[in-house]
Structure formats: structure tokens, C-alpha cells
């Protein structure tokens, strides 16, 4: 039986990274009489490189402070503006690698919170819980962009069934040929080059959900991913996470009432969680397979 010996070189430092998480930034593009525009972001930065000394001896000579990373986000918003989150993330990631000889890879993750103008000038309304996302990896293998959307809540009142499933002694769920199908979509998609049109990809997800007669949420997931690949030829693969927001018919018989699929109880948990990736049936180039 082996035991740990003090002073023995039993351990080594594995993969590591550091950065500044969740820098909140709101940029107002002043439009004068034409009205203002708001960009509301949550930016996280992670860096990798020759950083072992900081972990092993506390030598910080290769460490760019995370506070500096935060300040860079704010400065870039002023100096370069924010056109789209993919471009902003790429600009930041490329800067950290180019400006720091000890940093070899950078990942910038951004969440964008949508606002709609109320009066066309200076007043805005937060547009629900849906969030646009982008993650940019930059390093020796080039730049890779993964875009997406989270919290996209969709519901259809019919055109959904669920039956023919496995039953054992613990099964109580009844089969149904007419049910509410609801989910909160978390989706990401990646390309080999320039980012895909996010609005077009989102529209494809919504259209597929609405237009698919569903016999299972798994089937709907595949149709949603396939629609993005059809509509956005530059996309290599789509990853989807679809929690099943269950809606159960309320038994109104004790009150002498029928319930022809009209009154439901919306359960938030526990919930089914359906996840999967839809990709093109071709070899993905090695240079775009790497992940941070």
C-alpha cells in the first residue's frame, strides 16, 4: 500500500485558467433626435498560458490582473463600440492573446439582455427573460465562435402526443394523444468561420417547434436542430437543451365538471430534460474541433 511522502513530487499542475467573470456593462449609443440604443451585456473572460509559477510559487509576473481585464472590457466598449456580441468577444479575445506574451488562449463569453424602445427616443422596456449568448475561443488553432440563445420559452396548446413508451411497475403516467408541449430552449450553434445570423437561427428554432407535429420532445429537438442547419449552411452543429415544462390536466370530476383539455396545472419541477446535438453528416475539420 502506497502512502503520501512529504516532499515527494507526487502532484503536478493540470490544465488551469483564470479571468474576470460577469463584468456587467450597459452601453448607450446616443442617437439624438433619432433615439438612443441600449446594449446590455454580461462579459466573462478566461485566459490560459504560462501561468504555472503563480500556482506553484505565487510568482505573479505572468499574471494580467483580472481587474485589468474588467477595465479592458469597458475601454473597448468606448473605443471600438459594440456592433454585435460575437465581434466584440473576438476583439477582446484577440487582444488578450496578442498583448500578453504569457497568454496563449483566451475565451470570452457574453450574455446579451434585450431591451425594446417604448417611445422611440429614451424609454426602454426589458424584453422578457430570453438571452442571446456568444462564446469566442482564440488561440493557436485560430478563432472559434459559438453563438446561441437561452431562456427562449415556447409553448403549443396541441399537436403534441406522448404514448408507446416503456411501462414497468412504477409507471403511472397515462398515455396521451393531445397535450400541451412547452419548453425553455437553451441552444448553441457553431461555425467554421464567420458567425451565423443569430436572428435567422433563432427564427429557425421557433418555426420548427411550431411546425412539427410532435410525438416526443426528442423528435421536436431533432427537427429544431435540423431546421437551423437547413437555414444556416455555415453552421456545423447545434446543441439543444429542452426542459419539458409539464402541464397536467386537472381532475375536475370531484366537482361534477368535465375537463376537455382546457384547465391545466403547470408544474415547474421535477421536469424531463431532453438534450442532444444535431450535426452535419460530414467530418468536422480538425481546426474547429478544439474546445477551451
Amino acid at each position: 500500500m502506497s502512502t503520501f511522502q512529504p516532499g515527494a513530487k507526487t502532484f503536478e499542475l493540470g490544465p488551469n485558467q483564470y479571468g474576470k467573470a460577469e463584468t456587467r456593462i450597459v452601453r448607450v449609443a446616443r442617437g439624438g433626435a433619432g433615439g438612443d440604443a441600449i446594449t446590455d451585456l454580461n462579459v466573462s473572460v478566461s485566459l490560459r498560458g504560462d501561468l504555472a509559477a503563480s500556482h506553484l510559487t505565487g510568482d505573479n509576473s505572468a499574471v494580467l490582473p483580472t481587474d485589468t481585464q474588467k477595465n479592458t472590457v469597458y475601454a473597448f466598449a468606448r473605443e471600438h463600440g459594440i456592433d454585435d456580441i460575437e465581434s466584440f468577444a473576438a476583439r477582446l479575445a484577440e487582444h488578450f492573446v496578442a498583448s500578453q506574451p504569457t497568454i496563449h488562449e483566451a475565451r470570452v463569453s457574453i450574455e446579451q439582455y434585450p431591451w425594446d424602445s417604448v417611445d422611440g427616443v429614451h424609454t426602454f422596456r426589458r424584453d422578457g427573460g430570453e438571452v442571446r449568448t456568444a462564446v469566442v475561443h482564440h488561440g493557436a488553432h485560430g478563432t472559434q465562435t459559438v453563438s446561441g440563445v437561452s431562456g427562449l420559452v415556447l409553448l403549443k396548446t396541441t399537436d403534441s402526443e406522448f404514448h408507446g413508451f416503456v411501462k414497468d411497475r412504477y409507471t403511472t403516467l397515462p398515455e396521451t394523444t393531445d397535450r400541451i408541449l412547452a419548453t425553455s430552449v437553451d441552444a448553441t450553434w457553431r461555425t467554421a468561420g464567420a458567425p451565423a445570423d443569430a436572428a435567422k437561427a433563432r427564427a429557425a428554432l421557433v418555426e420548427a417547434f411550431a411546425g412539427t407535429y410532435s410525438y416526443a420532445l426528442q423528435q421536436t429537438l431533432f427537427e429544431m436542430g435540423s431546421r437551423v442547419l437547413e437555414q444556416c449552411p455555415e453552421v456545423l452543429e447545434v446543441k439543444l437543451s429542452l426542459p419539458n415544462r409539464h402541464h397536467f390536466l386537472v381532475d375536475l370530476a370531484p366537482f361534477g365538471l368535465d375537463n376537455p383539455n382546457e384547465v391545466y396545472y403547470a408544474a415547474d419541477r421535477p421536469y424531463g430534460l431532453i438534450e442532444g446535438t444535431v450535426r452535419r453528416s460530414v467530418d468536422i475539420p480538425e481546426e474547429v474541433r478544439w474546445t477551451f
Side-chain angles (χ1 to χ4, degrees):
M1 176 175 152
S2 63
T3 59
F4 170 71
Q5 299 294 324
K9 294 183 179 179
T10 309
F11 311 116
E12 65 178 15
L13 180 67
N16 60 89
Q17 61 196 49
Y18 84 108
K20 197 69 166 181
E22 300 198 14
T23 296
R24 292 287 283 109
I25 176 172
V26 176
R27 186 179 190 276
V28 180
R30 300 295 179 181
D36 296 337
I38 288 180
T39 304
D40 185 355
L41 307 180
N42 190 25
V43 182
S44 294
V45 176
S46 292
L47 306 178
R48 281 186 180 178
D50 297 328
L51 302 167
S54 180
H55 290 271
L56 301 178
T57 67
D59 178 357
N60 295 316
S61 58
V63 175
L64 180 71
T66 64
D67 190 68
T68 303
Q69 297 171 36
K70 174 201 69 178
N71 293 340
T72 304
V73 172
Y74 293 137
F76 269 45
R78 177 66 184 97
E79 293 177 344
H80 305 288
I82 304 173
D83 38 11
D84 59 78
I85 58 176
E86 287 84 3
S87 298
F88 188 59
R91 192 175 297 122
L92 285 166
E94 291 165 3
H95 163 79
F96 288 123
V97 172
S99 65
Q100 303 300 316
T102 58
I103 299 302
H104 307 316
E105 297 180 54
R107 180 185 69 198
V108 178
S109 305
I110 299 181
E111 298 174 335
Q112 181 175 18
Y113 310 108
W115 291 83
D116 285 336
S117 177
V118 173
D119 59 4
V121 188
H122 308 305
T123 306
F124 295 83
R125 178 187 67 247
R126 175 67 186 273
D127 188 14
E130 183 180 334
V131 176
R132 270 267 291 118
T133 63
V135 180
V136 171
H137 300 169
H138 179 71
H141 294 280
T143 302
Q144 182 183 110
T145 302
V146 178
S147 302
V149 63
S150 66
L152 171 59
V153 179
L154 300 173
L155 180 150
K156 59 195 308 179
T157 58
T158 188
D159 288 348
S160 175
E161 305 181 14
F162 189 59
H163 51 79
F165 46 81
V166 173
K167 302 178 185 67
D168 66 13
R169 60 182 294 196
Y170 303 113
T171 302
T172 59
L173 184 71
E175 296 189 347
T176 179
T177 58
D178 190 8
R179 67 171 181 170
I180 286 178
L181 183 65
T183 187
S184 178
V185 179
D186 287 348
T188 56
W189 50 88
R190 68 188 186 103
T191 64
D197 184 328
K200 190 174 182 180
R202 179 191 180 280
L205 293 170
V206 175
E207 290 168 4
F209 181 87
T212 300
Y213 191 101
S214 180
Y215 294 95
L217 188 51
Q218 288 90 335
Q219 173 204 3
T220 300
L221 179 150
F222 184 77
E223 292 298 329
M224 292 172 73
S226 298
R227 189 71 59 88
V228 174
L229 296 176
E230 291 171 358
Q231 298 295 324
C232 304
E234 65 274 29
V235 173
L236 295 174
E237 66 178 11
V238 183
K239 292 185 178 180
L240 289 155
S241 178
L242 305 180
N244 196 337
R245 293 195 165 187
H246 299 296
H247 290 67
F248 299 110
L249 275 173
V250 177
D251 181 8
L252 299 179
F255 319 119
L257 298 172
D258 64 354
N259 190 0
N261 291 346
E262 291 183 357
V263 181
Y264 295 83
Y265 163 63
D268 63 346
R269 63 192 65 182
Y271 54 86
L273 181 59
I274 314 303
E275 298 178 299
T277 301
V278 184
R279 58 169 62 107
R280 298 190 183 278
S281 302
V282 296
D283 288 336
I284 297 176
E286 184 64 33
E287 60 270 18
V288 297
R289 290 182 184 177
W290 68 286
T291 57
F292 192 90

mmCIF file of all heavy atoms in Angstrom, residues 77-106:
data_model
loop_
_atom_site.group_PDB
_atom_site.id
_atom_site.type_symbol
_atom_site.label_atom_id
_atom_site.label_comp_id
_atom_site.label_asym_id
_atom_site.label_seq_id
_atom_site.Cartn_x
_atom_site.Cartn_y
_atom_site.Cartn_z
ATOM 1 N N ALA A 77 -15.447 48.984 -25.138
ATOM 2 C CA ALA A 77 -16.814 49.409 -25.457
ATOM 3 C C ALA A 77 -16.834 50.866 -25.891
ATOM 4 O O ALA A 77 -17.615 51.260 -26.770
ATOM 5 C CB ALA A 77 -17.722 49.195 -24.255
ATOM 6 N N ARG A 78 -15.960 51.672 -25.285
ATOM 7 C CA ARG A 78 -15.887 53.083 -25.648
ATOM 8 C C ARG A 78 -15.068 53.300 -26.915
ATOM 9 O O ARG A 78 -15.472 54.044 -27.809
ATOM 10 C CB ARG A 78 -15.265 53.889 -24.502
ATOM 11 C CG ARG A 78 -15.087 55.377 -24.814
ATOM 12 C CD ARG A 78 -16.435 56.061 -24.971
ATOM 13 N NE ARG A 78 -16.285 57.459 -25.365
ATOM 14 C CZ ARG A 78 -16.370 57.899 -26.611
ATOM 15 N NH1 ARG A 78 -16.618 57.054 -27.610
ATOM 16 N NH2 ARG A 78 -16.230 59.181 -26.886
ATOM 17 N N GLU A 79 -13.912 52.652 -27.001
ATOM 18 C CA GLU A 79 -13.004 52.898 -28.114
ATOM 19 C C GLU A 79 -13.472 52.278 -29.423
ATOM 20 O O GLU A 79 -13.298 52.867 -30.496
ATOM 21 C CB GLU A 79 -11.616 52.343 -27.768
ATOM 22 C CG GLU A 79 -10.919 53.086 -26.642
ATOM 23 C CD GLU A 79 -9.588 52.460 -26.277
ATOM 24 O OE1 GLU A 79 -9.344 51.298 -26.682
ATOM 25 O OE2 GLU A 79 -8.810 53.124 -25.580
ATOM 26 N N HIS A 80 -14.061 51.092 -29.328
ATOM 27 C CA HIS A 80 -14.417 50.348 -30.546
ATOM 28 C C HIS A 80 -15.920 50.198 -30.742
ATOM 29 O O HIS A 80 -16.360 49.773 -31.809
ATOM 30 C CB HIS A 80 -13.787 48.954 -30.511
ATOM 31 C CG HIS A 80 -12.300 48.976 -30.316
ATOM 32 N ND1 HIS A 80 -11.427 49.370 -31.298
ATOM 33 C CD2 HIS A 80 -11.545 48.663 -29.231
ATOM 34 C CE1 HIS A 80 -10.179 49.288 -30.843
ATOM 35 N NE2 HIS A 80 -10.214 48.868 -29.603
ATOM 36 N N GLY A 81 -16.711 50.504 -29.719
ATOM 37 C CA GLY A 81 -18.142 50.297 -29.818
ATOM 38 C C GLY A 81 -18.495 48.821 -29.720
ATOM 39 O O GLY A 81 -17.625 47.956 -29.613
ATOM 40 N N ILE A 82 -19.781 48.521 -29.746
ATOM 41 C CA ILE A 82 -20.262 47.137 -29.701
ATOM 42 C C ILE A 82 -21.253 46.970 -30.838
ATOM 43 O O ILE A 82 -22.404 47.410 -30.747
ATOM 44 C CB ILE A 82 -20.938 46.819 -28.351
ATOM 45 C CG1 ILE A 82 -19.992 47.111 -27.183
ATOM 46 C CG2 ILE A 82 -21.392 45.352 -28.322
ATOM 47 C CD1 ILE A 82 -20.644 46.985 -25.820
ATOM 48 N N ASP A 83 -20.806 46.363 -31.921
ATOM 49 C CA ASP A 83 -21.713 46.151 -33.044
ATOM 50 C C ASP A 83 -22.553 44.903 -32.835
ATOM 51 O O ASP A 83 -23.779 44.944 -32.812
ATOM 52 C CB ASP A 83 -20.950 46.092 -34.373
ATOM 53 C CG ASP A 83 -19.614 45.365 -34.237
ATOM 54 O OD1 ASP A 83 -19.378 44.730 -33.196
ATOM 55 O OD2 ASP A 83 -18.825 45.435 -35.188
ATOM 56 N N ASP A 84 -21.884 43.750 -32.647
ATOM 57 C CA ASP A 84 -22.590 42.529 -32.264
ATOM 58 C C ASP A 84 -21.716 41.809 -31.246
ATOM 59 O O ASP A 84 -20.505 42.044 -31.166
ATOM 60 C CB ASP A 84 -22.882 41.637 -33.477
ATOM 61 C CG ASP A 84 -21.617 41.232 -34.207
ATOM 62 O OD1 ASP A 84 -20.923 40.316 -33.725
ATOM 63 O OD2 ASP A 84 -21.318 41.833 -35.258
ATOM 64 N N ILE A 85 -22.314 40.933 -30.456
ATOM 65 C CA ILE A 85 -21.570 40.349 -29.344
ATOM 66 C C ILE A 85 -20.472 39.406 -29.814
ATOM 67 O O ILE A 85 -19.444 39.265 -29.143
ATOM 68 C CB ILE A 85 -22.514 39.656 -28.333
ATOM 69 C CG1 ILE A 85 -23.353 38.558 -29.005
ATOM 70 C CG2 ILE A 85 -23.386 40.678 -27.659
ATOM 71 C CD1 ILE A 85 -24.237 37.792 -28.011
ATOM 72 N N GLU A 86 -20.650 38.758 -30.955
ATOM 73 C CA GLU A 86 -19.604 37.885 -31.472
ATOM 74 C C GLU A 86 -18.349 38.686 -31.827
ATOM 75 O O GLU A 86 -17.233 38.298 -31.482
ATOM 76 C CB GLU A 86 -20.099 37.113 -32.695
ATOM 77 C CG GLU A 86 -21.099 36.006 -32.393
ATOM 78 C CD GLU A 86 -22.537 36.490 -32.278
ATOM 79 O OE1 GLU A 86 -22.772 37.702 -32.487
ATOM 80 O OE2 GLU A 86 -23.411 35.670 -31.987
ATOM 81 N N SER A 87 -18.523 39.798 -32.516
ATOM 82 C CA SER A 87 -17.382 40.627 -32.905
ATOM 83 C C SER A 87 -16.711 41.249 -31.686
ATOM 84 O O SER A 87 -15.473 41.327 -31.620
ATOM 85 C CB SER A 87 -17.836 41.731 -33.869
ATOM 86 O OG SER A 87 -18.355 41.185 -35.059
ATOM 87 N N PHE A 88 -17.498 41.690 -30.723
ATOM 88 C CA PHE A 88 -16.945 42.290 -29.512
ATOM 89 C C PHE A 88 -16.132 41.261 -28.737
ATOM 90 O O PHE A 88 -15.026 41.538 -28.263
ATOM 91 C CB PHE A 88 -18.082 42.848 -28.658
ATOM 92 C CG PHE A 88 -17.619 43.655 -27.469
ATOM 93 C CD1 PHE A 88 -16.823 44.777 -27.643
ATOM 94 C CD2 PHE A 88 -17.992 43.293 -26.183
ATOM 95 C CE1 PHE A 88 -16.401 45.535 -26.540
ATOM 96 C CE2 PHE A 88 -17.581 44.037 -25.084
ATOM 97 C CZ PHE A 88 -16.782 45.155 -25.265
ATOM 98 N N ALA A 89 -16.664 40.041 -28.618
ATOM 99 C CA ALA A 89 -15.954 38.980 -27.908
ATOM 100 C C ALA A 89 -14.649 38.626 -28.625
ATOM 101 O O ALA A 89 -13.601 38.425 -27.983
ATOM 102 C CB ALA A 89 -16.841 37.746 -27.771
ATOM 103 N N ALA A 90 -14.697 38.527 -29.942
ATOM 104 C CA ALA A 90 -13.500 38.186 -30.711
ATOM 105 C C ALA A 90 -12.438 39.260 -30.563
ATOM 106 O O ALA A 90 -11.237 38.962 -30.429
ATOM 107 C CB ALA A 90 -13.863 37.991 -32.184
ATOM 108 N N ARG A 91 -12.857 40.528 -30.576
ATOM 109 C CA ARG A 91 -11.900 41.632 -30.445
ATOM 110 C C ARG A 91 -11.193 41.566 -29.097
ATOM 111 O O ARG A 91 -9.973 41.748 -29.001
ATOM 112 C CB ARG A 91 -12.653 42.955 -30.595
ATOM 113 C CG ARG A 91 -11.764 44.176 -30.773
ATOM 114 C CD ARG A 91 -12.607 45.413 -31.024
ATOM 115 N NE ARG A 91 -13.366 45.311 -32.248
ATOM 116 C CZ ARG A 91 -14.687 45.396 -32.331
ATOM 117 N NH1 ARG A 91 -15.421 45.565 -31.242
ATOM 118 N NH2 ARG A 91 -15.296 45.308 -33.494
ATOM 119 N N LEU A 92 -11.927 41.270 -28.052
ATOM 120 C CA LEU A 92 -11.329 41.164 -26.723
ATOM 121 C C LEU A 92 -10.387 39.964 -26.631
ATOM 122 O O LEU A 92 -9.258 40.076 -26.136
ATOM 123 C CB LEU A 92 -12.432 41.039 -25.668
ATOM 124 C CG LEU A 92 -13.215 42.305 -25.336
ATOM 125 C CD1 LEU A 92 -14.474 41.954 -24.544
ATOM 126 C CD2 LEU A 92 -12.349 43.282 -24.535
ATOM 127 N N ALA A 93 -10.835 38.802 -27.116
ATOM 128 C CA ALA A 93 -10.019 37.589 -27.023
ATOM 129 C C ALA A 93 -8.711 37.754 -27.782
ATOM 130 O O ALA A 93 -7.633 37.382 -27.290
ATOM 131 C CB ALA A 93 -10.802 36.393 -27.557
ATOM 132 N N GLU A 94 -8.790 38.302 -28.977
ATOM 133 C CA GLU A 94 -7.584 38.500 -29.768
ATOM 134 C C GLU A 94 -6.636 39.488 -29.094
ATOM 135 O O GLU A 94 -5.407 39.322 -29.135
ATOM 136 C CB GLU A 94 -7.966 38.992 -31.169
ATOM 137 C CG GLU A 94 -8.676 37.918 -31.998
ATOM 138 C CD GLU A 94 -9.363 38.482 -33.226
ATOM 139 O OE1 GLU A 94 -9.229 39.711 -33.470
ATOM 140 O OE2 GLU A 94 -10.030 37.713 -33.944
ATOM 141 N N HIS A 95 -7.181 40.508 -28.455
ATOM 142 C CA HIS A 95 -6.350 41.493 -27.752
ATOM 143 C C HIS A 95 -5.562 40.856 -26.617
ATOM 144 O O HIS A 95 -4.351 41.101 -26.478
ATOM 145 C CB HIS A 95 -7.225 42.615 -27.199
ATOM 146 C CG HIS A 95 -6.546 43.436 -26.143
ATOM 147 N ND1 HIS A 95 -5.635 44.414 -26.437
ATOM 148 C CD2 HIS A 95 -6.642 43.378 -24.774
ATOM 149 C CE1 HIS A 95 -5.181 44.954 -25.306
ATOM 150 N NE2 HIS A 95 -5.780 44.345 -24.290
ATOM 151 N N PHE A 96 -6.211 40.043 -25.799
ATOM 152 C CA PHE A 96 -5.521 39.470 -24.647
ATOM 153 C C PHE A 96 -4.385 38.551 -25.078
ATOM 154 O O PHE A 96 -3.314 38.535 -24.463
ATOM 155 C CB PHE A 96 -6.514 38.723 -23.763
ATOM 156 C CG PHE A 96 -7.447 39.619 -23.000
ATOM 157 C CD1 PHE A 96 -8.826 39.487 -23.142
ATOM 158 C CD2 PHE A 96 -6.964 40.597 -22.162
ATOM 159 C CE1 PHE A 96 -9.697 40.315 -22.447
ATOM 160 C CE2 PHE A 96 -7.818 41.444 -21.464
ATOM 161 C CZ PHE A 96 -9.188 41.307 -21.611
ATOM 162 N N VAL A 97 -4.586 37.785 -26.144
ATOM 163 C CA VAL A 97 -3.530 36.895 -26.619
ATOM 164 C C VAL A 97 -2.401 37.694 -27.275
ATOM 165 O O VAL A 97 -1.211 37.410 -27.061
ATOM 166 C CB VAL A 97 -4.100 35.857 -27.605
ATOM 167 C CG1 VAL A 97 -2.978 35.037 -28.252
ATOM 168 C CG2 VAL A 97 -5.084 34.938 -26.890
ATOM 169 N N ALA A 98 -2.745 38.703 -28.068
ATOM 170 C CA ALA A 98 -1.732 39.471 -28.794
ATOM 171 C C ALA A 98 -0.913 40.364 -27.876
ATOM 172 O O ALA A 98 0.280 40.598 -28.123
ATOM 173 C CB ALA A 98 -2.400 40.308 -29.885
ATOM 174 N N SER A 99 -1.530 40.867 -26.818
ATOM 175 C CA SER A 99 -0.853 41.859 -25.970
ATOM 176 C C SER A 99 -0.067 41.252 -24.824
ATOM 177 O O SER A 99 0.772 41.933 -24.220
ATOM 178 C CB SER A 99 -1.881 42.850 -25.415
ATOM 179 O OG SER A 99 -2.794 42.191 -24.539
ATOM 180 N N GLN A 100 -0.304 39.981 -24.491
ATOM 181 C CA GLN A 100 0.351 39.346 -23.351
ATOM 182 C C GLN A 100 1.156 38.132 -23.812
ATOM 183 O O GLN A 100 0.562 37.117 -24.205
ATOM 184 C CB GLN A 100 -0.683 38.924 -22.303
ATOM 185 C CG GLN A 100 -1.550 40.059 -21.783
ATOM 186 C CD GLN A 100 -0.719 41.138 -21.116
ATOM 187 O OE1 GLN A 100 0.190 40.847 -20.345
ATOM 188 N NE2 GLN A 100 -1.044 42.395 -21.408
ATOM 189 N N PRO A 101 2.472 38.193 -23.782
ATOM 190 C CA PRO A 101 3.285 37.068 -24.277
ATOM 191 C C PRO A 101 3.086 35.776 -23.498
ATOM 192 O O PRO A 101 3.344 34.686 -24.037
ATOM 193 C CB PRO A 101 4.724 37.582 -24.132
ATOM 194 C CG PRO A 101 4.650 38.703 -23.149
ATOM 195 C CD PRO A 101 3.303 39.323 -23.330
ATOM 196 N N THR A 102 2.621 35.859 -22.265
ATOM 197 C CA THR A 102 2.422 34.642 -21.467
ATOM 198 C C THR A 102 1.039 34.026 -21.658
ATOM 199 O O THR A 102 0.771 32.931 -21.165
ATOM 200 C CB THR A 102 2.617 34.954 -19.974
ATOM 201 O OG1 THR A 102 1.686 35.980 -19.577
ATOM 202 C CG2 THR A 102 4.035 35.417 -19.696
ATOM 203 N N ILE A 103 0.144 34.716 -22.368
ATOM 204 C CA ILE A 103 -1.227 34.230 -22.574
ATOM 205 C C ILE A 103 -1.330 33.656 -23.984
ATOM 206 O O ILE A 103 -1.073 34.342 -24.969
ATOM 207 C CB ILE A 103 -2.255 35.357 -22.371
ATOM 208 C CG1 ILE A 103 -2.168 35.902 -20.944
ATOM 209 C CG2 ILE A 103 -3.660 34.837 -22.667
ATOM 210 C CD1 ILE A 103 -2.385 34.859 -19.854
ATOM 211 N N HIS A 104 -1.719 32.393 -24.084
ATOM 212 C CA HIS A 104 -1.773 31.711 -25.374
ATOM 213 C C HIS A 104 -3.192 31.425 -25.861
ATOM 214 O O HIS A 104 -3.401 31.187 -27.044
ATOM 215 C CB HIS A 104 -1.007 30.389 -25.297
ATOM 216 C CG HIS A 104 0.390 30.546 -24.790
ATOM 217 N ND1 HIS A 104 1.225 31.556 -25.211
ATOM 218 C CD2 HIS A 104 1.105 29.827 -23.877
ATOM 219 C CE1 HIS A 104 2.394 31.459 -24.608
ATOM 220 N NE2 HIS A 104 2.350 30.419 -23.777
ATOM 221 N N GLU A 105 -4.138 31.407 -24.945
ATOM 222 C CA GLU A 105 -5.534 31.177 -25.316
ATOM 223 C C GLU A 105 -6.434 32.083 -24.490
ATOM 224 O O GLU A 105 -6.164 32.349 -23.315
ATOM 225 C CB GLU A 105 -5.946 29.720 -25.064
ATOM 226 C CG GLU A 105 -5.203 28.691 -25.883
ATOM 227 C CD GLU A 105 -5.689 27.286 -25.560
ATOM 228 O OE1 GLU A 105 -6.927 27.043 -25.640
ATOM 229 O OE2 GLU A 105 -4.853 26.432 -25.210
ATOM 230 N N ALA A 106 -7.502 32.534 -25.118
ATOM 231 C CA ALA A 106 -8.480 33.365 -24.417
ATOM 232 C C ALA A 106 -9.886 32.927 -24.790
ATOM 233 O O ALA A 106 -10.141 32.567 -25.950
ATOM 234 C CB ALA A 106 -8.288 34.846 -24.758
#
